[in-house]
């Protein structure tokens, strides 16, 4: 659907943080989005939180069959249901700035050769307090340098045609699925960097990026 942004939000036991993530979508100054909420077998009430938001706003769609598939498979399954011209991923414990979608869309529409664009981000504590600017985007983008460092970390907007052309998220990949996707996209499409912070990445000890750091390094 032209102009529609489809946002996948895989959920697994993040009931404490999910309202802030979904509230950040409701606060967007660009209204044409859908959020594909894939509950990956949560046991902490996350599914009920997602269902409450879906009852409140029809742009939220709760998906999933109650089984625990893992984040890669959940993200792939959610994006397989996307109807939008553009695709994005919002982790269920993170947040978008209010102008995230409008800023990224304006950037991509001003640069129609791009298949993907990424912004800058800030790191926040568990309670949402801003800690510091992220660092991954500091290296200027090149497909070669992306092999060395995950430059295109957050926030990313991907043209749906580009996403499908490279086969989408690799569902069986246990970790680093987003890095893998960006690497494959960089081989096929032009990638642009918007030098603006549009994403709040929550630092948590139990998050995948912390708890599975060694697995992520090996996969990368």
């Amino acid at each position: 659907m032209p102009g529609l942004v489809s946002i996948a939000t895989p959920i697994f036991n993040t009931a404490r943080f999910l309202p802030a993530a979904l509230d950040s979508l409701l606060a967007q100054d660009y209204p044409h989005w859908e959020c594909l909420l894939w509950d990956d077998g949560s046991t902490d009430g996350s599914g009920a939180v997602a269902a409450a938001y879906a009852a409140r706003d029809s742009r939220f769609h709760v998906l999933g069959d109650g089984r625990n598939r893992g984040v890669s498979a959940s993200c792939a399954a959610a994006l397989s249901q996307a109807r939008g011209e553009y695709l994005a991923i919002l982790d269920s414990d993170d947040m978008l700035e209010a102008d995230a979608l409008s800023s990224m869309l304006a950037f991509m529409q001003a640069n129609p050769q791009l298949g993907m664009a990424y912004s800058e981000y800030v790191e926040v504590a568990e309670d949402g307090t801003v800690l510091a600017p992220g660092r991954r985007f500091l290296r200027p983008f090149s497909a070669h340098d992306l092999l060395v460092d995950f430059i295109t970390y957050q926030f990313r907007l991907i043209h749906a045609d580009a996403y499908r052309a490279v086969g989408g998220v690799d569902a069986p990949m246990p970790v680093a699925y987003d890095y893998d996707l960006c690497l494959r996209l960089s081989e096929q499409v032009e990638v642009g960097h918007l030098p603006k912070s549009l994403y709040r990445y929550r630092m948590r000890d139990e998050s995948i990026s912390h708890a599975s750091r060694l697995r992520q390094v090996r996969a990368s």
Side-chain angles (χ1 to χ4, degrees):
M1 184 178 296
L4 181 69
V5 181
S6 297
I7 302 153
T9 300
I11 303 166
F12 181 67
N13 289 346
T14 50
R16 283 193 300 154
F17 308 111
L18 185 56
L22 303 188
D23 285 343
S24 78
L25 277 174
L26 291 173
Q28 291 300 302
D29 59 12
Y30 182 81
H32 305 300
W33 53 264
E34 63 174 0
C35 182
L36 307 167
L37 297 159
W38 192 282
D39 183 15
D40 193 33
S42 297
T43 58
D44 70 338
S46 294
V49 174
Y53 274 82
R56 172 182 172 187
D57 193 306
S58 62
R59 292 174 294 181
F60 292 108
H61 307 285
V62 180
L63 306 170
D65 55 11
R67 292 187 295 142
N68 180 250
R69 302 165 177 251
V71 64
S72 306
S74 296
C75 191
L79 288 174
S80 73
Q81 305 296 313
R83 300 178 299 130
E85 181 181 2
Y86 299 93
L87 309 179
I89 300 169
L90 171 63
D91 289 342
S92 60
D93 52 355
D94 295 339
M95 295 157 283
L96 296 175
E97 302 294 356
D99 62 340
L101 299 184
S102 61
S103 295
M104 292 296 277
L105 277 168
F107 181 63
M108 289 196 74
Q109 289 168 354
N111 298 277
Q113 78 279 9
L114 297 179
M116 182 180 82
Y118 66 101
S119 74
E120 301 179 358
Y121 67 98
V122 296
E123 296 175 348
V124 301
E126 285 206 13
D127 65 1
T129 303
V130 175
L131 297 174
R135 299 187 58 82
R136 293 177 183 258
F137 56 79
L138 296 178
R139 185 193 295 266
F141 178 79
S142 76
H144 180 270
D145 284 348
L146 185 61
L147 289 166
V148 179
D149 194 10
F150 191 4
I151 304 166
T152 57
Y153 194 57
Q154 296 290 1
F155 168 60
R156 298 176 298 272
L157 194 65
I158 305 169
H159 202 288
D161 289 345
Y163 176 84
R164 295 183 180 112
V166 300
V169 168
D170 185 357
M173 195 166 194
V175 291
Y177 73 93
D178 46 356
Y179 187 21
D180 170 71
L181 174 63
C182 289
L183 285 169
R184 285 184 283 117
L185 283 163
S186 74
E187 294 177 333
Q188 300 292 332
V189 302
E190 289 195 41
V191 176
H193 171 218
L194 175 61
K196 185 176 184 179
S197 181
L198 297 175
Y199 196 89
R200 298 192 175 204
Y201 172 67
R202 198 185 301 268
M203 306 293 288
R204 298 195 296 127
D205 288 341
E206 66 269 30
S207 67
I208 291 175
S209 58
H210 282 71
S212 302
R213 181 60 181 162
L214 182 57
R215 292 172 66 211
Q216 283 201 320
V217 170
R218 286 172 173 166
S220 296

